[in-house]
Amino acid sequence: MNSKPLPNDIDACHQLIAELQSQVGEHQQIIGKQATELSLKDKLIEEQAHSVLELKADHDKLDEKVIELNLKIEKLLKQLYGRKSERRVDGEGQLFLDLGEEPTPEVVSALEEAIREAEQIVDDAEEANKKRRKKRPEPSDRKFPEHLPRYEKIVDLPEAQRKGLILIGYDEVETLESTAGELKVRVTKYAKYAHPTDKSQGIVTPERPTGLVEGDRFDASIGVEVVAWKYFYHLPFYRQQDLFAGSGWTPSRSTLGNIETAVEFALRPLADYLRSVLKHDRTVGCDDTGVLLITPKAMPDLSEHPRGKRIGEVLGNAIESGKPSINANMWGYYASRLPVVVFDFTVSRHRDGPDDVLSDFKGNVLGDCWSGFQKIDLRSDSRITFAACWAHARRKIDECRGAFPLQVAKLESLIRMLYDVEDQIKELDDAARLARRQSLSRHVLDQIAEYLDSEAMQSPSVLPKSNLGVAAGYVRRHWEALCRFTEDATIPLDNNDCEQLMKRVATGRKNWLFKGSVASGERAANLLTIIGSAIRNDLDVRAYLDDVLRRALAGETDWSVLTPHAWKAEHPESIREYRQDERRQAADRKRTRRARRRLLNKSTRRR
């Protein structure tokens, strides 16, 4: 390549240098422009990458939200259309477990004893079924109770058809009839006397007994009907109007409300006494449910109310913010050994409700892991110990069955073993029950803890924020409270009895819908306490209420003899024996079902 010769004179060199500098400047401009374009492209790429990451993060959040909503939908569908019983039928993914690969000799001995016991239970159940089938009466042998009043109606042939025939007897057919409730008006005449000459002595008349309402216009039986219909049969006042109208009297709803108020006022000391009896038990279950409370137009007088400060705060906020109603709470307390239940009404789900009711209680409180129970031992200076409910823990795990079938099946099988142990030790005394819990139940609890820490329950199999991860976290956080039943024989494994108790409030709430005032809610709690305790003792609620109400109006104040369990001993004729039979049969069926499952478990392990 031939290059252009360089000039020799100074001017030409200067000119050449100027041309070269101009070319370099142009090249630098081009390079700068290209660099700027590259910088803009890099920035655009970086922005696009950042946008992609943001979109991916948003997409992941949406995926999590979709999963969460699907789980909620699945849970709601299960609540609406799923089986209501929590008993799990064995199926695909359900595991049969023994008591560990290397159990202690004591555990092995208990397992063998459980198998022998299960075989005996199954044999006894089959024998009992055979006897029942043999003794089953024919339909023609079933008679109505002899104490029911009877009248005769003779159906004869027409006279023309009877000619030449001899009557040899009658075929008797008993038909049960029902008529509307009969109302009667009792007219009581009180004699009046006057001195014939000394008019200063005035009129002398017999002393009048205390009536349910002023003027003694309604007998105690009317008060019993109103209260029993509302809190036992769950009939609101507007339906009671129809029932009374069918008997010829149509009371106003305010009249029915006044009658309820009068009954509760007379029996309030009995409800208070039942609350004191509850505190003599070693373990008390507690649960709650919401009740709608209408916000008053003006603040009521709370100067004499023991909870006036808290009630004033809640109602004051509701009135100030213009809320038409607030979510109040009805609490239920279930004594584990004593045949007593207690209800309490509060204006909010605040811990001051249980703290107040259990202010002088010393023992164990069994319930869900609500935050108000978490530190109750500290607030009570160690008077109260909190024990957690295994049914709540199992329920949270069972909700994850669709996404984690194998893990849930394993955990539920282990939890079911805890119930099997409880079933085996049910009839033992406290010392023997506690010993079995500390050996057998502790062994199962160790297996549950080991599985919760196993690889199957860790990431990536189970993410911490997944529904099973949250359920497992619930069990880990409250492990000490869940294991507390192994330290005290009076603590049940779950709080299901108290939860069943709260169904009375939920059923009533669907009918009477709301409470119109704090006083109305407290009246309902007192009446539910009395009626709920009567139901727990399998009593004829109306017969019990009628007797104790009349005795209270007559001035009797020995409430210890008016409690349902004391009254029951004096009135065996008012015990609903069919309720006891129903519970006994249900317990026998459950016991037999679990025994058959243990035998199936045994045969599965041998294969």
Side-chain angles (χ1 to χ4, degrees):
M1 179 177 179
N2 295 325
S3 58
K4 186 177 179 181
L6 297 174
N8 294 324
D9 59 288
I10 297 299
D11 294 334
C13 288
H14 286 173
Q15 184 180 357
L16 180 60
I17 290 171
E19 291 176 357
L20 292 174
Q21 286 177 341
S22 175
Q23 292 177 2
V24 169
E26 292 176 357
H27 284 297
Q28 287 178 341
Q29 289 179 356
I30 294 172
I31 293 172
K33 185 177 180 181
Q34 291 176 344
T36 302
E37 292 177 353
L38 289 174
S39 176
L40 291 173
K41 288 181 179 179
D42 290 342
K43 186 175 181 180
L44 181 61
I45 292 172
E46 183 179 353
E47 290 177 352
Q48 290 176 342
H50 184 67
S51 299
V52 169
L53 292 175
E54 287 183 344
L55 289 173
K56 187 176 184 304
D58 292 341
H59 184 270
D60 292 340
K61 289 181 179 179
L62 289 174
D63 282 343
E64 291 179 2
K65 190 67 175 178
V66 168
I67 294 173
E68 181 182 352
L69 291 174
N70 284 333
L71 290 172
K72 287 183 179 179
I73 292 171
E74 182 181 350
K75 182 178 179 180
L76 290 172
L77 289 175
K78 183 179 178 181
Q79 290 176 348
L80 287 172
Y81 306 112
R83 54 182 290 122
K84 298 298 183 287
S85 172
E86 292 187 355
R87 179 168 64 89
R88 173 61 59 185
V89 179
D90 294 333
E92 184 178 356
Q94 183 66 56
L95 308 179
F96 292 100
L97 304 175
D98 55 19
L99 290 176
E101 296 181 358
E102 297 181 359
T104 63
E106 184 180 2
V107 173
V108 172
S109 174
L111 179 60
E112 294 173 351
E113 180 185 345
I115 296 300
R116 291 193 298 270
E117 181 186 359
E119 292 173 345
Q120 185 63 44
I121 291 172
V122 172
D123 292 342
D124 292 345
E126 292 176 351
E127 186 66 26
N129 286 334
K130 290 179 182 179
K131 291 181 180 179
R132 276 197 295 269
R133 283 194 292 268
K134 290 180 181 179
K135 293 183 179 180
R136 186 173 297 167
E138 296 296 327
S140 59
D141 295 334
R142 296 176 184 172
K143 298 288 185 180
F144 296 117
E146 294 296 331
H147 67 272
L148 294 178
R150 285 169 167 76
Y151 71 94
E152 291 185 354
K153 176 183 178 182
I154 296 177
V155 180
D156 207 339
L157 291 172
E159 187 175 355
Q161 296 183 17
R162 293 201 305 263
K163 290 182 178 179
L165 301 179
I166 300 174
L167 178 66
I168 59 175
Y170 294 94
D171 287 333
E172 292 188 356
V173 177
E174 290 194 340
T175 304
L176 189 65
E177 295 182 355
S178 175
T179 57
E182 181 183 1
L183 294 177
K184 297 181 291 185
V185 178
R186 182 181 71 239
V187 180
T188 305
K189 295 183 177 181
Y190 293 94
K192 297 189 297 184
Y193 293 89
H195 197 277
T197 59
D198 187 3
K199 294 185 179 182
S200 63
Q201 294 186 14
I203 297 175
V204 182
T205 186
E207 183 180 355
R208 302 190 182 190
T210 303
L212 181 62
V213 298
E214 186 178 358
D216 198 18
R217 295 189 65 247
F218 301 107
D219 184 62
S221 58
I222 298 297
V224 168
E225 292 289 359
V226 172
V227 169
W229 280 350
K230 185 171 184 179
Y231 295 109
F232 182 54
Y233 300 111
H234 311 296
L235 298 177
F237 287 156
Y238 75 90
R239 293 181 189 167
Q240 293 190 28
Q241 283 180 301
D242 292 334
L243 288 172
F244 279 119
S247 301
W249 174 58
T250 307
S252 66
R253 298 181 196 179
S254 61
T255 297
L256 297 176
N258 291 336
I259 293 173
E260 177 193 331
T261 301
V263 173
E264 186 272 337
F265 179 78
L267 296 181
R268 188 181 306 167
L270 176 58
D272 293 336
Y273 183 79
L274 290 172
R275 288 187 176 91
S276 67
V277 172
L278 174 91
K279 299 173 188 177
H280 288 97
D281 209 323
R282 174 65 186 167
T283 299
V284 173
C286 181
D287 199 12
D288 69 289
T289 186
V291 175
L292 197 66
L293 174 65
I294 302 300
T295 304
K297 295 181 179 179
M299 183 68 68
D301 182 14
L302 301 171
S303 58
E304 301 296 328
H305 200 290
R307 302 177 184 173
K309 182 179 180 181
R310 177 64 183 171
I311 296 174
E313 291 175 356
V314 175
L315 294 185
N317 292 335
I319 294 172
E320 185 179 352
S321 58
K323 291 182 179 179
S325 62
I326 60 175
N327 293 321
N329 254 51
M330 189 71 77
W331 302 81
Y333 298 88
Y334 190 95
S336 65
R337 300 292 179 90
L338 298 176
V340 174
V341 302
V342 166
F343 288 85
D344 184 50
F345 179 81
T346 59
V347 295
S348 65
R349 194 174 190 241
H350 193 266
R351 67 188 187 191
D352 60 354
D355 286 355
D356 182 32
V357 172
L358 304 174
S359 59
D360 53 351
F361 170 71
K362 184 177 181 181
N364 308 302
V365 170
L366 176 66
D368 57 20
C369 294
W370 168 57
S371 59
F373 289 145
Q374 304 274 321
K375 302 297 182 182
I376 197 170
D377 54 340
L378 297 178
R379 298 197 306 273
S380 64
D381 294 328
S382 300
R383 281 187 300 102
I384 299 176
T385 303
F386 173 64
C389 167
W390 268 104
H392 280 83
R394 181 193 179 280
R395 210 168 291 145
K396 290 181 179 294
I397 293 172
D398 189 68
E399 292 172 356
C400 314
R401 176 172 289 272
F404 303 92
L406 295 178
Q407 291 93 329
V408 170
K410 173 79 174 182
L411 287 170
E412 286 192 344
S413 296
L414 288 168
I415 295 173
R416 190 175 60 185
M417 291 174 69
L418 293 176
Y419 282 89
D420 284 344
V421 173
E422 291 298 305
D423 189 49
Q424 297 170 38
I425 66 178
K426 189 175 183 179
E427 303 300 328
L428 301 180
D429 58 43
D430 285 353
R433 291 181 67 196
L434 187 60
R436 289 294 187 93
R437 283 179 173 182
Q438 290 177 346
S439 59
L440 302 182
S441 300
R442 271 290 178 188
H443 187 82
V444 179
L445 290 170
D446 290 342
Q447 287 188 289
I448 295 176
E450 181 180 350
Y451 187 73
L452 289 174
D453 293 333
S454 67
E455 185 178 351
M457 293 294 295
Q458 306 298 324
S459 290
S461 300
V462 179
L463 297 176
K465 291 187 177 181
S466 65
N467 55 352
L468 183 57
V470 173
Y474 174 91
V475 176
R476 293 190 188 100
R477 285 195 310 275
H478 306 296
W479 184 253
E480 184 178 354
L482 285 168
C483 296
R484 197 141 283 150
F485 74 99
T486 62
E487 302 170 5
D488 191 330
T490 66
I491 301 177
L493 191 60
D494 59 43
N495 198 33
N496 284 348
D497 288 332
C498 193
E499 289 189 13
Q500 291 291 328
L501 176 68
M502 299 310 295
K503 285 187 176 181
R504 302 203 62 79
V505 181
T507 305
R509 183 180 55 211
K510 291 180 180 179
N511 291 276
W512 36 256
L513 301 179
F514 59 85
K515 287 299 172 186
S517 66
V518 174
S520 175
E522 292 173 345
R523 283 197 299 271
N526 287 332
L527 293 171
L528 282 169
T529 295
I530 298 170
I531 292 175
S533 296
I535 294 171
R536 183 172 179 181
N537 285 274
D538 301 313
L539 294 179
D540 179 343
V541 172
R542 294 168 70 178
Y544 170 70
L545 286 177
D546 188 83
D547 186 56
V548 298
L549 180 56
R550 292 184 188 278
R551 291 164 71 173
L553 292 174
E556 187 165 346
T557 57
D558 186 2
W559 304 110
S560 62
V561 300
L562 297 183
T563 58
H565 50 282
W567 192 88
K568 176 180 180 179
E570 298 178 358
H571 299 82
E573 73 283 356
S574 295
I575 299 175
R576 298 302 197 199
E577 294 183 358
Y578 59 88
R579 292 296 182 205
Q580 297 177 337
D581 292 339
E582 286 175 356
R583 275 201 312 278
R584 192 180 304 113
Q585 292 171 10
D588 289 343
R589 287 194 300 270
K590 181 186 291 186
R591 197 168 177 230
T592 304
R593 184 175 65 246
R594 289 178 174 175
R596 286 198 173 101
R597 177 163 44 76
R598 285 199 292 271
L599 293 178
L600 181 60
N601 193 351
K602 169 189 171 185
S603 62
T604 304
R605 288 198 305 272
R606 286 179 173 176
R607 292 174 186 171

